[in-house]
Every structure is written in C-alpha cells, then in structure tokens.
Amino acid sequence: MCMKGMTAHAMPQEPMLDQTPDGWMLAMARGDRAAFAALFEAEAGRLIAIARRIVRRQDLAEEAVQEGFVSAWQSAARFDPQRGSARAWLTTIVRNRALNLIRNDARLEFHDAEDVAAIGDRAADAMAALNQLSDRDALKSCLGALDEPKRQAILLCYVTGLDHGEVAATMKAPLGTVKSWIRRGVVALQECLS
Amino acid sequence: MSRQDQMARAGRYVLGQMEGRERDDFEVAMQADAELASRVDRLAQSMQALDDTVTPGAIPPGMWKAIEARTAGMAQLGPVRAGTVVSLEAARARRRWLPAALAASLVLALGVGYLAGTRLGAPREPVAVAVLLNETDSMPGAIVQAYADDSVTLRPLRAFAVPEGKILQVWTLPDRETGPVSLGTLPRQATTRLQGPDLPLPHEGQLYEITLEPSPGSPTGKPTGPILVKGYARFSPS
C-alpha cells in the first residue's frame, strides 16, 4: 500500500516510525504488537545462537529465547535507551534466562553427563569468539592484553556460561586461583576499556 | 565500596558469576547506585561484541505463535519511576544499628503477630508462601502469603524497630529484568493485606523482602533502605 500522499500533518500524534530495535522496543512499551513481531524477526535467530553456546541444547536455547521475548514484552516500558541499546537489553535478558536454565538444580543431570569432549568444545567456542572479534574492537585488544589464564577464564565464563567451579575443572586449576584470575582480570579489563 | 571493588563486582555480575542472594542483593544495590549501574551497563555493552560473533540460528516455526499466545492479554509493567537515588553507602551505614535494635525488640514481639493474624479471615488458598528471615540470625520475621489476584497478606512475627519518619515497605522481585516491585507499605505492624500491582503469578523461589524506607514510602519506587527480612516463595502443597 502506498502512503506517499500522506503528509506529516495528516497524523500529528504519530511519532516517526523507527524501524530499529530501539524504535521497536519503545513502540512495544506503547503496546505495539507489530513492533514486537518485527523485533522477534530481526533478533530471534541471533539470540538462539547466543543461548545455545551457553545451554548447549537446541530445545533449552529456544526456551531461553521464548522466555526472554515474553519478558521483554512485559517489561518493555522498563527499557531505557539512555542506559544502552535495545539489542543489548534483549541480549542481557536472554543470557540471564539461559544461565538460569543451566544453573537450575533440576537440569543438573544434563550438566553432569557432559563429557570431556564437550568441555573441549566449550573452550574452542570461547576462543573462536575472541578470534572473530573485529581487530578494531577495543574489547579484542583489551582481552589480548590480559595474561592467558585470565583471558581464558573470562571467556569461558562469558561466552559459554561456565561458573567458576566449571572453569576450574576445565582449566585444571584450583578454584581459589580461578576466582582470583577472574577478579583481577575483570578489573584490568575495565581499566583498559575505560 | 572502592572503585576496584565496584569493578570486581560489576565484572562478576556481567560474567554470570553471581547467583541467588548475592545476585539479588547486587541488583538491589544497582537500583540505588547509578555509578555502579552504569559500570555494569558499560561492561555488558562491551562484552556483547563476543555475543555478536555467533552465526544466527534458524528460527523454529511456531516459536512466534507460542510467544504471541503467551503474551496475548498479558498486562505490561509500567516504567520505573525516577526519583532521588540514595547511595548504597548511606543505606549500609543505616543498616549497622539494626541487628541490635531487632534483637532488643524480639522479646516484646513474640505472639503479637499471631494474635493479630486471627483477625483476618482468609478463605482463599494462597498460591505461594514465603517465610522472611532476618539475615543476621536467620530468625523468622514475617510470613508472606501470595494470592492469585496479586494480593498478599503479610504477618509479622516480631516487632521491627521503626524510627520516626520511617516506614516498613514490602517488595518482591518477579524477575531480574523487572527488578524489585513494591507491594505496599505497612502503616501498622499487624497482619496486613496488600494489593500489589498486576504481576505474573509468583514463581518458586521468588524473592520477597521488607525494607526500612523514608515515610510514606521509598522516594525512588525501588528499595533504598536496609533489608530487615527476606525470603523466597514456596508453593503450597495442593
């Protein structure tokens, strides 16, 4: 349908249609379901892949993304563009859902069954993510400036959602050492990024 | 909190290394501390470059339909009200005198809550129950019963020391994105029914807490004062 003939003053109350994730989120806060559908189309595939790196299972990844979108609809008015982009907000929601799924006791049997090869996959995923960062990204140079164990511990936590106990097992290092790597690593990383 | 300490905690949070109470407490702290919140936002934003390295997966057919069905008719939450932000340090400083005051008032409190409770007929079955404990000695301080219509009844099990100009305020944390939501204030320390805002049904483990706020209620719409008691929802066996 061609809307060319319609001039701005024909719809004085309508804000400009902003077809970006930020625009869709703001429209969702006003109850706009078309904007919700557009956001889903644009972001769901990426979010499923992010969640899958954490939960390692397609069904759980889809569950995390579905829960995340329901929560985004419900809390749309809490999205504040001043605090960050809509994509970032949505990614945080889905990451948290995914982490909740694997940290939930009821799913432990899945976790325990994970074999050595799967743990190797996680380390490979974490390193692949680092390598795929753009060279212009400050995060890449700042992660690169960290000692190897700190960098690896941070990537395992963030990219694959391991907790510090699992990082210790994967890196074959004592828990206290891993905690200290993470602590000193994240402080150094933030100093470098700021 | 030192700058290093702030960065370490923000880092642990963004890396997903906080769980349970520590994470809940940190999220409450972020509500009251804009500097801490912005540190978390900046780090999360930087780290997400790693998320963006994924190759997007296929969207399963039916997923959108399921989301549409789940959200049809679902009430949306209102925005967080802006207001004065109280620093965490100030809240912490106020917290220090509390355990002693609580202990001193405990003896007087025993039994009073139960008597008050008998005044309130509750024919309906609660969907969830939470026993709120004092963090320092793990003694029960109040019982929350949550009902399907967003109302809760709160039964104090001890008297809380409430200084002049302060009031007890009841909160719940429906989920981390929503943040803490006020269920109302307690004008008197008696069993009280509060009508909360429209929220999803409580889930197993949902956090409930009582904080001490400036009267007539938190100026920010989020908890700013010390947590007196808190606990996690359990479902009533049916």
Side-chain angles (χ1 to χ4, degrees), chain B residues 70-83:
Chain B
R70 293 257 320 266
T71 53
M74 176 185 267
Q76 289 179 290
L77 298 165
V80 179
R81 267 182 296 144

PDB file of all heavy atoms in Angstrom, chain B residues 70-83:
ATOM      1  N   ARG B  70       1.418 -16.556  24.481  1.00  0.00           N
ATOM      2  CA  ARG B  70       1.768 -16.307  25.884  1.00  0.00           C
ATOM      3  C   ARG B  70       1.540 -14.847  26.275  1.00  0.00           C
ATOM      4  O   ARG B  70       1.252 -14.542  27.427  1.00  0.00           O
ATOM      5  CB  ARG B  70       3.251 -16.644  26.131  1.00  0.00           C
ATOM      6  CG  ARG B  70       3.598 -18.104  26.018  1.00  0.00           C
ATOM      7  CD  ARG B  70       3.771 -18.791  27.370  1.00  0.00           C
ATOM      8  NE  ARG B  70       4.460 -18.021  28.389  1.00  0.00           N
ATOM      9  CZ  ARG B  70       5.753 -18.101  28.632  1.00  0.00           C
ATOM     10  NH1 ARG B  70       6.515 -18.889  27.916  1.00  0.00           N
ATOM     11  NH2 ARG B  70       6.286 -17.398  29.607  1.00  0.00           N
ATOM     12  N   THR B  71       1.746 -13.926  25.325  1.00  0.00           N
ATOM     13  CA  THR B  71       1.676 -12.508  25.694  1.00  0.00           C
ATOM     14  C   THR B  71       0.310 -11.897  25.416  1.00  0.00           C
ATOM     15  O   THR B  71       0.070 -10.750  25.787  1.00  0.00           O
ATOM     16  CB  THR B  71       2.748 -11.693  24.950  1.00  0.00           C
ATOM     17  OG1 THR B  71       2.621 -11.946  23.546  1.00  0.00           O
ATOM     18  CG2 THR B  71       4.152 -12.059  25.394  1.00  0.00           C
ATOM     19  N   ALA B  72      -0.587 -12.667  24.748  1.00  0.00           N
ATOM     20  CA  ALA B  72      -1.921 -12.124  24.447  1.00  0.00           C
ATOM     21  C   ALA B  72      -2.622 -11.768  25.753  1.00  0.00           C
ATOM     22  O   ALA B  72      -2.714 -12.592  26.656  1.00  0.00           O
ATOM     23  CB  ALA B  72      -2.733 -13.150  23.656  1.00  0.00           C
ATOM     24  N   GLY B  73      -3.055 -10.548  25.863  1.00  0.00           N
ATOM     25  CA  GLY B  73      -3.785 -10.134  27.059  1.00  0.00           C
ATOM     26  C   GLY B  73      -2.919  -9.965  28.293  1.00  0.00           C
ATOM     27  O   GLY B  73      -3.422  -9.688  29.376  1.00  0.00           O
ATOM     28  N   MET B  74      -1.616 -10.167  28.157  1.00  0.00           N
ATOM     29  CA  MET B  74      -0.729 -10.019  29.313  1.00  0.00           C
ATOM     30  C   MET B  74      -0.551  -8.531  29.633  1.00  0.00           C
ATOM     31  O   MET B  74      -0.304  -7.730  28.736  1.00  0.00           O
ATOM     32  CB  MET B  74       0.635 -10.658  28.985  1.00  0.00           C
ATOM     33  CG  MET B  74       1.682 -10.482  30.060  1.00  0.00           C
ATOM     34  SD  MET B  74       3.294 -11.148  29.489  1.00  0.00           S
ATOM     35  CE  MET B  74       3.179 -12.815  30.127  1.00  0.00           C
ATOM     36  N   ALA B  75      -0.711  -8.182  30.904  1.00  0.00           N
ATOM     37  CA  ALA B  75      -0.539  -6.775  31.274  1.00  0.00           C
ATOM     38  C   ALA B  75       0.943  -6.418  31.215  1.00  0.00           C
ATOM     39  O   ALA B  75       1.783  -7.208  31.622  1.00  0.00           O
ATOM     40  CB  ALA B  75      -1.078  -6.546  32.677  1.00  0.00           C
ATOM     41  N   GLN B  76       1.244  -5.264  30.686  1.00  0.00           N
ATOM     42  CA  GLN B  76       2.636  -4.807  30.649  1.00  0.00           C
ATOM     43  C   GLN B  76       2.926  -3.990  31.896  1.00  0.00           C
ATOM     44  O   GLN B  76       2.059  -3.288  32.414  1.00  0.00           O
ATOM     45  CB  GLN B  76       2.879  -3.981  29.391  1.00  0.00           C
ATOM     46  CG  GLN B  76       2.881  -4.827  28.124  1.00  0.00           C
ATOM     47  CD  GLN B  76       3.096  -3.978  26.888  1.00  0.00           C
ATOM     48  OE1 GLN B  76       2.225  -3.213  26.516  1.00  0.00           O
ATOM     49  NE2 GLN B  76       4.244  -4.121  26.255  1.00  0.00           N
ATOM     50  N   LEU B  77       4.160  -4.099  32.370  1.00  0.00           N
ATOM     51  CA  LEU B  77       4.546  -3.366  33.568  1.00  0.00           C
ATOM     52  C   LEU B  77       4.794  -1.902  33.232  1.00  0.00           C
ATOM     53  O   LEU B  77       5.199  -1.575  32.124  1.00  0.00           O
ATOM     54  CB  LEU B  77       5.828  -3.966  34.155  1.00  0.00           C
ATOM     55  CG  LEU B  77       5.697  -5.413  34.610  1.00  0.00           C
ATOM     56  CD1 LEU B  77       7.069  -6.026  34.827  1.00  0.00           C
ATOM     57  CD2 LEU B  77       4.881  -5.490  35.890  1.00  0.00           C
ATOM     58  N   GLY B  78       4.565  -1.036  34.206  1.00  0.00           N
ATOM     59  CA  GLY B  78       4.814   0.385  33.996  1.00  0.00           C
ATOM     60  C   GLY B  78       6.299   0.690  34.092  1.00  0.00           C
ATOM     61  O   GLY B  78       7.081  -0.154  34.518  1.00  0.00           O
ATOM     62  N   PRO B  79       6.690   1.895  33.676  1.00  0.00           N
ATOM     63  CA  PRO B  79       8.102   2.264  33.773  1.00  0.00           C
ATOM     64  C   PRO B  79       8.533   2.424  35.227  1.00  0.00           C
ATOM     65  O   PRO B  79       7.703   2.626  36.096  1.00  0.00           O
ATOM     66  CB  PRO B  79       8.172   3.601  33.035  1.00  0.00           C
ATOM     67  CG  PRO B  79       6.787   4.132  33.072  1.00  0.00           C
ATOM     68  CD  PRO B  79       5.856   2.964  33.153  1.00  0.00           C
ATOM     69  N   VAL B  80       9.822   2.307  35.458  1.00  0.00           N
ATOM     70  CA  VAL B  80      10.365   2.553  36.788  1.00  0.00           C
ATOM     71  C   VAL B  80      10.295   4.045  37.042  1.00  0.00           C
ATOM     72  O   VAL B  80      10.707   4.828  36.197  1.00  0.00           O
ATOM     73  CB  VAL B  80      11.833   2.083  36.865  1.00  0.00           C
ATOM     74  CG1 VAL B  80      12.410   2.356  38.238  1.00  0.00           C
ATOM     75  CG2 VAL B  80      11.921   0.615  36.529  1.00  0.00           C
ATOM     76  N   ARG B  81       9.743   4.430  38.168  1.00  0.00           N
ATOM     77  CA  ARG B  81       9.659   5.863  38.462  1.00  0.00           C
ATOM     78  C   ARG B  81      11.039   6.425  38.771  1.00  0.00           C
ATOM     79  O   ARG B  81      11.813   5.817  39.503  1.00  0.00           O
ATOM     80  CB  ARG B  81       8.735   6.104  39.660  1.00  0.00           C
ATOM     81  CG  ARG B  81       7.309   6.381  39.246  1.00  0.00           C
ATOM     82  CD  ARG B  81       6.462   6.646  40.459  1.00  0.00           C
ATOM     83  NE  ARG B  81       6.377   5.469  41.311  1.00  0.00           N
ATOM     84  CZ  ARG B  81       6.348   5.508  42.633  1.00  0.00           C
ATOM     85  NH1 ARG B  81       6.417   6.641  43.266  1.00  0.00           N
ATOM     86  NH2 ARG B  81       6.258   4.395  43.332  1.00  0.00           N
ATOM     87  N   ALA B  82      11.307   7.586  38.220  1.00  0.00           N
ATOM     88  CA  ALA B  82      12.580   8.235  38.518  1.00  0.00           C
ATOM     89  C   ALA B  82      12.452   8.974  39.842  1.00  0.00           C
ATOM     90  O   ALA B  82      11.374   9.357  40.234  1.00  0.00           O
ATOM     91  CB  ALA B  82      12.944   9.211  37.415  1.00  0.00           C
ATOM     92  N   GLY B  83      13.533   9.149  40.530  1.00  0.00           N
ATOM     93  CA  GLY B  83      13.460   9.877  41.791  1.00  0.00           C
ATOM     94  C   GLY B  83      14.840  10.034  42.370  1.00  0.00           C
ATOM     95  O   GLY B  83      15.833   9.772  41.714  1.00  0.00           O
TER      96      GLY B  83
END
